[in-house]
């Protein structure tokens, strides 16, 4: 039985990393509807929304880490495209992707 527990703890998984212009952020405040204020890795606070195709799939609260895709024509706004789970957050923290956000807190 102990052998099975060790196997589960050492299980590797893939973590979705930011691509091209995507940024990791922390949800600071829910504004209403599907909009929220997100503190991003680059130091900006963006007014982000959950696109319609993800609206039912993503249940988001304050304090969640998300993947944000900034709008091309307005850098102060963006779309939330992915929500990280707790084990993925630990992996990102170990890899150093969350240093800017954690230092801001």
């Amino acid at each position: 039985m102990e052998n099975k527990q060790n196997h589960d703890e050492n299980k590797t998984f893939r973590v979705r990393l930011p691509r091209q212009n995507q940024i990791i952020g922390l949800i600071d405040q829910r504004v209403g509807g599907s909009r929220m204020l997100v503190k991003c890795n680059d130091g900006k606070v963006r007014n982000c929304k959950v696109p319609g195709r993800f609206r039912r799939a993503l249940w988001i609260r304050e304090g969640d880490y998300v993947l944000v895709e900034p709008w091309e024509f307005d850098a102060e706004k963006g779309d939330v495209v992915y929500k990280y789970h707790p084990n993925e957050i630990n992996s990102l923290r170990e890899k150093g992707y969350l240093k800017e956000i954690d230092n801001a807190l």
Side-chain angles (χ1 to χ4, degrees):
M1 185 152 191
E2 286 183 35
N3 191 14
K4 184 179 179 187
Q5 288 176 347
N6 289 337
H7 177 69
D8 290 341
E9 291 174 4
N10 296 331
K11 193 174 187 180
T12 59
F13 55 91
R14 296 186 69 184
V15 177
R16 185 169 178 178
L17 298 176
R19 297 180 185 169
Q20 296 172 355
N21 63 341
Q22 294 177 342
I23 301 169
I24 297 174
L26 176 68
I27 296 187
D28 188 32
Q29 179 182 0
R30 295 289 310 254
V31 180
S34 63
R35 296 196 173 269
M36 60 211 69
L37 297 177
V38 179
K39 289 182 185 177
C40 296
N41 253 357
D42 59 357
K44 293 182 181 180
V45 177
R46 289 185 168 81
N47 186 359
C48 297
K49 70 179 187 81
V50 178
R53 63 182 176 209
F54 297 124
R55 200 161 286 149
R56 301 242 187 256
L58 289 178
W59 290 85
I60 298 176
R61 293 186 214 120
E62 293 178 7
D64 286 344
Y65 285 90
V66 293
L67 191 59
V68 175
E69 190 168 318
W71 291 355
E72 292 178 14
F73 54 88
D74 189 0
E76 297 299 317
K77 296 183 179 179
D79 291 330
V80 174
V81 294
Y82 185 75
K83 174 186 168 185
Y84 287 105
H85 297 285
N87 56 352
E88 294 173 323
I89 294 168
N90 291 335
S91 178
L92 288 171
R93 203 170 264 133
E94 289 173 4
K95 293 179 183 178
Y97 283 96
L98 302 179
K99 285 183 182 177
E100 292 83 10
I101 296 174
D102 290 340
N103 290 338
L105 299 176

